[in-house]
Amino acid sequence: MIRNPILPGFNPDPSICRVGEDYYIATSTFEWFPGVQIHHSRDLANWTLVRRPLERKSQLDMRGNPDSCGVWAPCLSYADGLFWLVYTDVKRLDGNFKDAHNYIVTAPTIDGEWSDPIYVNSSGFDPTLFHDDDGRKWFLNMQWNHRTESYGGAPKHPAFDGILMQEWDAGTKSLKGPIKNIFAGSPLGLVEGPHLFKRNGWYYLTTAEGGTGYNHAVTMARSKSIDGPYEMHPDTHLITAKDAPDAVLQRAGHGQYVETPAGEAYHTHLCGRPMPPQRRCTLGRETALQKCVWRDDWLYLEHGGVVPAVDVPSPGNAEPHAKPKRIDYRFDGPQLPDDFQWLRTPEPERIFSLTDNPGSLRLHGRESIGSWFEQALVARRQEHHSFRAETVVDFAPETYQQAAGLTHYYNRHKFHAVVITWHEKLGRVVTIFSCPGDFPHARMVFPVESGEPVPDGPVHLAMDIRDNDLQFFFRSGEGGNWQPLGPLLDAGVVSDEGGRGEHGSFTGAFAGMFAFDITGRAKPADFHGFVYEALA
């Protein structure tokens, strides 16, 4: 049995690829570095993170990319003895433009070193690469039309101006031949996320439509010729929950087809699991997988209809393995634990070190929390609606311009943080910084004002998130009791729908450690371990 979502927490835009008995899914990482998450499975029910391939400055530099920009909608494929990954690095979100640059990287093995990128085009985002059985390769992406009032939070259909296709020459590493607009989409609109595959002489095109909110859908079309015309699926949409507000998996859309070695059909899609009463998806957009069947050369969900199911049959009746409820991370190795990422910069040595104080994660205070350039924030995805995070920080601030602590973070407009800093009258204090969705100004509030004085030495920090509520805690020394700090805060605002609202941002919530020093002196903060525990 496959239990959805198969990749919980922020894992959107799933592109799936099978090589022999091995399945791989690539998902978007947006402004989080390294770029693109690739998970592996042998049974479609259990998945393990195996690679983040965009790891060098020559491959990806997102300093200055706004929130919810960066790496959008990768497509993973295998041909000619190579893995191929295409992706967009989006440089702008607001206003009429996107500045969406598309690239290709390759590698002989999924876990090996990936090539430097080859620039392809910038006509729109969500690229895909199709390897036809005659050896030709075709590059597709949606076309962005800036001549409308289409911008974050208010998408308009005319901006999504169809799916472009052009031939890719692997020899010259460039596009060639005519550019054709092969698919305008359905009346639902907002066509994006194209993927092509071929079966029984038909070319099948699946696209994402309806925007990445509650009207999202996987739309399907087919043609005998790769450049169309494409006829629409009898139901138009293969997967959608747009007309099923009570379905567990909402916002279903944007995925890709895959077949097992035995010919069984599956289709990935992103989804969201909203929390009542405000229907905010605190886990962001997650990855799910649906079992499908073929009828009359059209693909359908095996269980019928178009609404995605939570539980679907797996090949060979594989069952999902139980995952640990609590993970105690230690920073005693040469690399960060695999679950952790940081923001934007390809020069992580400027923001953290695992060797300066062995056994600890040292963060070098850089720019402010929420900076788009060089922010010392190391975090892991929120994967449960209710969880607890803990860490121990050793930090000796000398001014209120220096701070370090634990944060529940989405972007500069949506975060809560428990902070060790300095107050000119109270000395070293523990306090709270909060930006509860203030768009566009990103103004913070301070629920405990100047904070509580704490003695020298390490300070234990914790936060409990229970659905829509967040409570911070702290204690000093090894024998002290946990003390709550401040009131209950709105954890649900740290979500796709929080603050700016639907379509305004579309990544996910993280729990992590941060430090800043806006004096420019790079004051260090040492973090001794990190705990992530799912709560009932």
Side-chain angles (χ1 to χ4, degrees), residues 6 10 47 78 160-161 180 197 219 241 251 262 280 298 322 331 361 370 400 419 422 425 475 534:
I6 55 172
F10 165 46
W47 295 85
Y78 184 82
F160 293 72
D161 198 16
K180 295 186 177 181
F197 66 97
T219 299
R251 305 171 67 188
R280 297 180 297 192
W298 283 112
F331 303 120
L361 172 65
Y400 62 80
V419 179
W422 181 263
K425 294 182 179 179
R475 64 184 174 94

Side-chain angles (χ1 to χ4, degrees), residues 400-419:
Y400 62 80
Q401 291 185 312
Q402 298 168 337
L406 177 69
T407 183
H408 189 216
Y409 187 88
Y410 188 105
N411 62 25
R412 64 166 55 182
H413 303 107
K414 297 183 279 193
F415 68 86
H416 305 297
V418 56
V419 179

Side-chain angles (χ1 to χ4, degrees), residues 30 79 96 334 385 450 468:
F30 290 78
N96 290 64
H385 286 118
S450 300
N468 290 305

